[in-house]
Amino acid sequence: MKKIVLPVLATLIMAGCSDSDDVAALTNEATPNQDSGTVPVSVDVAIPPEEVPNGADELQACVAIDAVSITDLAGTIVEWTTKSMADPYAVNSTQCIPADSEIPVDNDGYPKFIVIDLYDIAGVDLVNLITEQLVPVGEYTTMAMSVLQGSYGDFLNTPYSYVGNPIDNLKMDIVDDLKFEGLNINIDAPTTFTMSFDLRSMIQLVEQAYQLKSEGFRVVDNLTVGKLFGDIDVSACVTSAKDAYVYLYESDTEEYGDLGSDYAPLQTAKVGEDNTYSMDYVPEGKYDIVLVCDALLDLPNEIDLDIDLDGTASKYQDQDIEAGEDHYRNL
């Protein structure tokens, strides 16, 4: 089975600390009272934005996760598996598992992985994937999830990770090492971080095969983020605003690029039926805000599409986003 690494939408909560420097790497068997130089870590799960490709809300995007890991500056990896979970079977998206099959178990009787539907993550409780685990005090640079490619060996040989449904599916090809690096998390005081992904960029249909890519992943410190929201002027879109998105670029970007370019937007938000948009967890800083009327033509696996990024699309420039503030901007 091929293993890759996949970050997931999560809020990382750190609480408590110690000044001890003599800390060993932790394993699944760590207990809350094991070491005064460790910090208890929990994970909460947020609902991803409803920004998925056309028809994706009718699909299943099932991924088989067998481990969660974080890596510190020295390259030491702290990893948890299903053995860390109070009830690993309870967190599965059951629609992903063939009716005549079940998740295989290891030599100790634990399931080898959990399986979740990324298009239905709101209904999946991943909190117990890491719960009351201990992490050595220190600075961490990476958080990741290990995802398996394999098959159940049922009548249809259903893949562990796929897009579709157990009967009619396409294997999900993993084309990158999908992990988020550069977290710069110093775990020595209560801190909350949010990791998120944009399904629109993450899952791409390329030549009749779905690919899982790293585009759309980011992580923010909740103490340094604000919210951006507003209404759009539908007359700014010549034909219709039903395919419109709002793109966010850092103000010092050399150009406004599409999703597949070297100058892709930092974040995107779909314009709703009420002609409003909202972006949560925007890191404090200066941004340009661009309305893209035909954004559904913008495919992450293609570059230089003929979409309006510099022409008639309305935009704000050099907008200050301050931490802890809600910022209202009409477009």
Side-chain angles (χ1 to χ4, degrees):
M1 292 182 289
K2 180 181 178 182
K3 298 180 71 172
I4 59 92
V5 188
L6 168 67
V8 89
L9 177 65
T11 300
L12 196 59
I13 303 174
M14 293 78 169
C17 63
S18 171
D19 294 329
S20 173
D21 293 326
D22 184 19
V23 182
L26 296 181
T27 65
N28 298 322
E29 289 73 28
T31 58
N33 298 318
Q34 180 184 12
D35 195 312
S36 61
T38 59
V39 179
V41 176
S42 297
V43 171
D44 195 9
V45 175
I47 300 174
E50 295 180 0
E51 298 177 0
V52 297
N54 279 344
D57 55 343
E58 301 173 359
L59 298 174
Q60 294 170 195
C62 299
V63 292
I65 302 167
D66 72 330
V68 177
S69 66
I70 58 175
T71 305
D72 66 13
L73 281 174
T76 303
I77 297 175
V78 182
E79 183 179 78
W80 301 276
T81 68
T82 57
K83 295 179 181 179
S84 306
M85 303 174 67
D87 187 358
Y89 291 103
V91 304
N92 290 308
S93 297
T94 56
Q95 68 268 26
C96 290
I97 306 172
D100 58 346
S101 298
E102 58 185 24
I103 295 175
V105 298
D106 61 19
N107 292 334
D108 297 321
Y110 289 93
K112 290 186 177 181
F113 56 84
I114 62 172
V115 59
I116 63 171
D117 181 356
L118 294 179
Y119 290 141
D120 189 36
I121 197 170
V124 177
D125 178 14
L126 290 176
V127 174
N128 291 326
L129 193 57
I130 306 176
T131 179
E132 296 303 320
Q133 301 299 319
L134 296 180
V135 175
V137 171
E139 188 171 351
Y140 291 84
T141 62
T142 304
M143 182 178 179
M145 291 185 128
S146 174
V147 175
L148 295 178
Q149 287 189 156
S151 64
Y152 289 93
D154 60 323
F155 177 74
L156 297 172
N157 203 31
T158 307
Y160 294 152
S161 300
Y162 64 84
V163 175
N165 59 64
I167 297 176
D168 184 13
N169 62 67
L170 288 175
K171 178 182 176 182
M172 189 183 296
D173 291 325
I174 314 303
V175 297
D176 294 326
D177 274 346
L178 301 181
K179 60 183 177 182
F180 192 94
E181 297 179 305
L183 294 182
N184 193 27
I185 297 177
N186 188 18
I187 304 181
D188 63 357
T191 309
T192 300
F193 287 81
T194 295
M195 296 185 69
S196 65
F197 53 82
D198 182 351
L199 293 179
R200 180 172 171 233
S201 297
M202 176 183 165
I203 299 176
Q204 303 166 22
L205 180 60
V206 181
E207 296 180 352
Q208 302 305 309
Y210 282 96
Q211 295 181 345
L212 192 63
K213 294 189 174 184
S214 59
E215 285 85 349
F217 290 105
R218 62 190 183 92
V219 63
V220 295
D221 181 347
N222 282 11
L223 294 178
T224 64
V225 298
K227 179 178 179 178
L228 177 64
F229 69 104
D231 299 281
I232 72 158
D233 179 2
V234 293
S235 66
C237 297
V238 177
T239 55
S240 171
K242 67 181 182 64
D243 294 337
Y245 277 72
V246 174
Y247 283 17
L248 189 72
Y249 297 90
E250 293 182 342
S251 288
D252 59 357
T253 186
E254 294 186 26
E255 61 182 80
Y256 300 151
D258 57 45
L259 291 174
S261 74
D262 292 333
Y263 304 100
L266 177 71
Q267 193 172 344
T268 72
K270 182 173 176 56
V271 175
E273 294 182 359
D274 57 354
N275 298 319
T276 65
Y277 73 94
S278 178
M279 291 184 183
D280 296 323
Y281 306 115
V282 178
E284 58 185 354
K286 282 185 176 293
Y287 297 95
D288 293 353
I289 310 166
V290 180
L291 172 64
V292 184
C293 294
D294 48 1
L296 284 185
L297 296 177
D298 188 5
L299 302 178
N301 55 296
E302 297 182 17
I303 301 176
D304 297 326
L305 293 175
D306 186 19
I307 61 174
D308 184 8
L309 289 170
D310 295 293
T312 60
S314 57
K315 53 180 171 283
Y316 279 101
Q317 293 182 320
D318 294 325
Q319 298 298 299
D320 285 311
I321 301 298
E322 298 180 3
E325 299 289 335
D326 292 348
H327 300 270
Y328 182 75
R329 298 291 187 274
N330 283 339
L331 286 168

